Each structure stands twice: as structure tokens, then as C-alpha cells.
Amino acid sequence: MSSSAIALSWSASSGAASYSVYRSTTPGFAPAAGNRIASGVTSTSYNSTGLSASTTYYYKVTASSGGGESAASQQASATTPAGSAAMAELFDDFSYTGTGDSSFRASWSLRSWSGGPGVSGAQWLPSNVSLVADPANGANKLMRLKATTNGAAAGSSHAEVMSTSRKFRLGTYAARVKFYDTPLSGARFYGDKTIETFFTITDYVEGDPDYSEQDFEYMPNGGWGQGNTSTMWLTSWETTTDKTSSLVSGSHDGWHTLVIHVTSESITYYIDGVARATHASRFVPEEGQYLSFQVWFDQLDAAQGSSRTYYEDADWVYFAKDAILSPAEVDAKIAGFRSSSVARKDTVP
Ligand SMILES: [Ca+2]
Ligand SMILES: [Ca+2]
């Protein structure tokens, strides 16, 4: 045990295919999606990371088999020693005056170069990114990305915001993002296959054996073989040719907290505290990645010549290096930054 990690082990349960691990600082807690820190664990041990010093943590483990998830184990607890091992982390509340703000530009780059993905000939415009007041909280700012079209490639533009640093590999990634089914302006045409995203990515080099990507890609108007059905795609890439996708069908219009756990064994995607997909170890990135947001068109309804603008809003983004935080712990982290008036922090080396 260190001041930031506790090693857990338990006895094998007969018939168990895998285990889930739950953590809380509240004794007698009920295991739930929001306090799960691992699922699909096939060994009988787990290293619980991302802990605070001098804190008592409570754990429960469940076994999963073909028949579902077992009742939780007895509660176990341990208290971390005092220590100064601060976890490296990034938090950005997007509290900038505008995208021209030098502190914004130091951390984020706005794409202006053309090319894939998406509709060939569309532009990627820095002016499609702005900082707007949060209608729900006047003290809060949101980063807004827009994609506009008039049905023609030449009349279309996309948006991308990418971290200037490529240093994010193992750990917990999170963002609070608002997806929209209905355009900001103009009519919704289901032939517009719009993609609203939060993702991580290395530099794109065709054939690079260490290329990787972990994506939340929401398509409000369907696409990619899903007809007009709103679909969230959870995709991991290992090289530019090998990928695996998990689909969550249905509208995701509105605010969502998106979390990705990337360990040396697996990648797990959470939407609002619920684990939606776990991808195998070969998809785990070998190199540091960027954090990125995009809104773009994969296809256009070329029969419609009226102007329409699709969009998404990002409230904040967070990363904890080499530490796994449950979605509930991420929420507590964000609340802590805000209560101490931290709008941006980056201690990730
Ligand atoms: Ca890889
Ligand atoms: Ca914010």
C-alpha cells in the first residue's frame, strides 16, 4: 500500500468468469454503477489507484458468470498512509474569455487544415469554436463546437479542438458533454450524418503500429449502417486498420458525463456512470495521446439547400494519470475544483 494505491485480492468464486470491484469512502455503501472502479477483471486481484492520502476506503467485489452478477462480497477496508504522492491530473472548466485567449491557445489548438475525416471538401474552421455562457449557471462557461452545411461539400464546415499536448495514456479520461439532436439553427434532415464527439488519439500515421484512439462518437441522425437511428459509437483503434466498436442505440440528446478507464489490461467506456463497453488489451495505447472534441459530417442530405448548423457543448474535461477513478469519484473531483475556484489545473508530465 502507498498513499495513493491499495492492492486488493480475494478468494476465487466457483463458476465466476470475471469480477467487478466497487469503491467508496462511505462504510456500508451499496455497490452501484457510479462507484464501480473495475469490471471484467479475470484475476482475483486488483490494484486500486488514484487514492487520497490518509483516507479510509471501502471495497466490495461481485462475481459475474453466465447467470449474471452475484451479490456483493463482505466489505473490506483499508486506510492509506499520509504521504505527498500527489496524483498527476488535468482539469479544464473551459473558463476562458474566448478562443483567442492566450491561455486557451496554450492548451488547445483549433483545426484549420482540411482533410479527413468526413465530407471531402468541407473546411475545418477555428471560428466554429466559441466559448459561451452556460444557460443553467451564469458563472460557468461552455466550449461550443459547430458544423454547418447547406447540403454541398463546398458549403460545409466542421470543428475540432485538440489538446496541444500528446501526453495522455493510462488512467481516467472524463468530459461532461451536451449532445444535440436538433440543430442550433435550420432544420434537422436525417440525411445529414452528423458526428458529435469526445475522443483521444495519437498522431494519425497510416500503418503506424502504435496508432491508437478511444472514441465517443454520437450520431444523432444515425449513419454507419444504422439507418436514421440515433446511435452512440464507442470505438477503440489499434493501428489504423484494426478497430472494435460497441453501439448504444437511442437518443443521447442532452448532458452526459463520459468516462474512459484505460489500464494496461483493458479499456472501459462509461456513460453517466454506467459501463457500456470493455475493449481488450490489444487496444490499450502504447503512446501518449491527445484529448479532442470534434463535430463533423460523414454525409450530407444534398437534396436540401437550406442552411443548418449542428453543435455540441463541452462543460469540462478531466484526466487522472495512472489512476482509476469511478465516475462518482470524477464528479467529486470536479466539485472539489470548483469549490476551490480552480478553473484549470495541469500537473500531467
Ligand atoms: Ca496500440
Ligand atoms: Ca465549464
Side-chain angles (χ1 to χ4, degrees), residues 93-94 140-142 315-316 338:
D93 210 348
F94 299 119
N140 186 35
K141 285 282 193 67
L142 310 174
D315 182 1
W316 50 258
R338 286 177 167 174

Side-chain angles (χ1 to χ4, degrees), residues 174-177 216 255-259 270-273 316 327 330-331:
R176 182 169 183 258
V177 176
F216 288 93
W255 283 108
H256 298 284
T257 299
L258 311 175
V259 172
Y270 294 82
I271 302 173
D272 300 327
W316 50 258
V330 170
D331 286 339

